[in-house]
Every structure is written in C-alpha cells, then in structure tokens.
Amino acid sequence: MDTQQQLSSCLAELKRIVDDSKAIIEWHKLMVFEKRTNPSARVFFNDNTMAELTDKQAHFQSVWIQADELLSRLNQNSRKIEFQRQLHKLAMQFYYPGSDVRVY
C-alpha cells in the first residue's frame, strides 16, 4: 500500500471516529431528555458518555499521529496540501461536535 492509500485509509478511519463521537453525543442528549421529561421512567440509562468519548479521543489522536507521519513522507506538494486540509476539517469536526460552525 502506498503512502496516498494509507493516508486515505487514515482519513476514512478519522471520519468514522467523528461520526461515532457525534452518535455518542446524540445518545447522551436523548438520555438527558428522557430523564428530564419522565424522571420516574422504568428505563434506566447507563451514562458512560465520558468514557466512550475519551476512548474516541485517544483513538482519534492515535490515527492523527499516524496520518501526520505519512504526510511527512508524501512528496507531492499539491496532494499534501489537500490531505492537510482534509485532516484539519476532520479535527474541527471532532473537537467541535454539534456546533453550528460550518467547517469547509
């Protein structure tokens, strides 16, 4: 597998992590909503949101480091800039999930 394919794989993995993190946050919002609207409900939610998000952050950073190392080996300057832009976009989406800020 060449460097560009490995970078594409890293980007896809980072995108999955971002999507998973957003899903965890949405689940947490649902849990909070349910607790507020019906505090005596028989459905009990296990709140492990922080642990799940911490795991996702560690995984995101691990893949990010791998992608950064691959970027340093990439020789094509135009492709390098495009990969850097995509990495920056994913980082903004990961660190500011659920915000109304548009990331291009």
Side-chain angles (χ1 to χ4, degrees), residues 10-11 13 20 24 27 29 31 36-37 40 45 49 51 53-54 59 63 67 71-72 79-80 83-84 89 92 101-102:
C10 285
L11 288 174
E13 181 65 22
D20 289 349
I24 292 167
W27 179 253
K29 287 179 186 178
M31 180 191 66
R36 284 187 181 158
T37 57
S40 65
F45 291 98
T49 304
L53 287 176
T54 302
H59 190 202
V63 176
L71 263 177
S72 68
R79 291 296 295 160
K80 191 174 195 173
F83 278 119
Q84 286 173 333
K89 178 181 172 182
M92 291 297 106
V101 176
R102 292 193 132 205

Side-chain angles (χ1 to χ4, degrees), residues 24-25 40 45 47-48 50 58 70 84 87-88 92 96:
I24 292 167
I25 290 169
S40 65
F45 291 98
D47 188 12
N48 54 355
M50 289 309 294
L70 289 167
Q84 286 173 333
L87 282 170
H88 178 72
M92 291 297 106
Y96 299 102

Side-chain angles (χ1 to χ4, degrees), residues 47-96:
D47 188 12
N48 54 355
T49 304
M50 289 309 294
E52 290 178 5
L53 287 176
T54 302
D55 289 344
K56 292 296 176 189
Q57 183 177 17
H59 190 202
F60 187 90
Q61 289 173 345
S62 168
V63 176
W64 177 273
I65 290 168
Q66 181 183 3
D68 194 46
E69 289 173 2
L70 289 167
L71 263 177
S72 68
R73 288 191 258 149
L74 192 62
N75 293 331
Q76 297 174 339
N77 200 24
S78 62
R79 291 296 295 160
K80 191 174 195 173
I81 291 170
E82 177 61 26
F83 278 119
Q84 286 173 333
R85 187 184 71 74
Q86 290 178 18
L87 282 170
H88 178 72
K89 178 181 172 182
L90 287 169
M92 291 297 106
Q93 289 175 349
F94 182 77
Y95 289 108
Y96 299 102

Side-chain angles (χ1 to χ4, degrees), residues 6 9 19 27 33 41-44 52 55 69 74 79 97:
Q6 289 175 328
S9 175
D19 291 343
W27 179 253
F33 175 77
R42 297 209 180 268
V43 178
F44 297 102
E52 290 178 5
D55 289 344
E69 289 173 2
L74 192 62
R79 291 296 295 160

